[in-house]
Amino acid sequence: MPDKSTSSDAPAPAATETPQAPTPARKIYPIVKYGDAILEKPGAPIKKFDAQLEQLAEDMFASMYAAQGVGLAAPQIGWSLRIAVVDVTGGKNPEARIVLANPEIVHAEGEVREEEGCLSIPGFRGYVLRPQFVTIKAQNAKGEAFEIRGENLLARAFCHEIDHLNGVLFLQHLSMLKRDLIKRKIKKLRKQGEW
Ligand SMILES: [Zn+2]
């Protein structure tokens, strides 16, 4: 039983509850922004599953958390490769970390229209129709094949990241009117040196 009388005045500890094992320093990549051609070309399939790839996946998680995203695809950090990471808990649950190498959608079901954004298109959001349930097959960073089913936000993240690996951005799912509006605004920001 916790002793409330002694703990009530104590300031809340800032440390996390679970002690962290020492981990090697991670590279935080800058996120490639819309306008860079790498975002609109398909990534190359992952063929070599080695320590370098595992390191890239870890760096991708670190870069994604630093940017406060729930998904990140390799082209977004300058690697034209078919690998993405997803964590819809934003780092709160280590078990929610998913590495997707060479992912493919094998089944999709239902429809959900929800607002979506992208780390490569900061400040802009739009409603995108996505399946409610998605089953994908992929490989992890060691090359082991697996299947995973996602619902709602997770299904959306899978679709969004697989799109990235195919050189597709969420803008392409918007109406032409909305897409052109966002593109014009980005063009203006670029002219002002703010993109
Ligand atoms: Zn994105």
Side-chain angles (χ1 to χ4, degrees):
M1 283 282 281
D3 184 353
K4 279 185 183 166
S5 63
T6 56
S7 63
S8 59
D9 292 328
T16 52
E17 283 172 26
T18 44
Q20 301 272 312
T23 47
R26 288 291 157 216
K27 181 170 165 60
I28 308 291
Y29 285 90
I31 308 290
V32 172
K33 281 186 181 174
Y34 175 74
D36 192 312
I38 198 169
L39 293 175
E40 296 181 78
K41 75 172 197 179
I46 305 284
K47 288 179 180 155
K48 207 169 153 195
F49 293 86
D50 55 9
Q52 245 180 323
L53 188 73
E54 287 188 58
Q55 190 179 316
L56 175 64
E58 288 303 320
D59 290 344
M60 286 175 69
F61 277 114
S63 304
M64 178 182 77
Y65 296 138
Q68 296 185 311
V70 297
L72 183 73
Q76 292 182 278
I77 53 162
W79 292 91
S80 193
L81 295 170
R82 299 188 77 79
I83 183 168
V85 296
V86 169
D87 178 355
V88 292
T89 73
K92 289 192 185 83
N93 178 7
E95 286 172 20
R97 292 157 50 103
I98 304 164
V99 176
L100 302 172
N102 304 322
E104 277 175 57
I105 294 173
V106 292
H107 183 74
E109 211 180 307
E111 284 182 341
V112 183
R113 205 171 128 82
E114 197 49 75
E115 224 182 15
E116 200 169 304
C118 178
L119 292 177
S120 294
I121 312 170
F124 296 97
R125 299 178 71 79
Y127 281 88
V128 177
L129 193 67
R130 298 281 192 190
Q132 187 183 359
F133 302 96
V134 165
T135 304
I136 60 172
K137 66 171 185 181
Q139 286 161 283
N140 64 19
K142 292 186 190 317
E144 297 156 348
F146 65 95
E147 268 199 17
I148 185 169
R149 180 176 151 101
E151 185 181 349
N152 294 322
L153 178 60
L154 188 56
R156 181 168 296 272
F158 288 159
C159 293
H160 183 108
E161 300 314 322
I162 291 172
D163 269 358
H164 270 303
L165 304 184
N166 292 326
V168 173
L169 299 167
F170 84 88
L171 296 181
Q172 282 164 256
H173 295 288
L174 305 179
S175 69
M176 203 184 282
L177 196 74
K178 173 88 179 171
R179 182 167 62 234
D180 287 348
L181 182 74
I182 293 177
K183 283 185 178 179
R184 271 206 306 278
K185 285 182 178 171
I186 292 174
K187 213 170 167 184
K188 204 173 152 192
L189 286 172
R190 198 179 289 132
K191 269 187 192 161
Q192 295 165 342
E194 290 167 22
W195 188 260

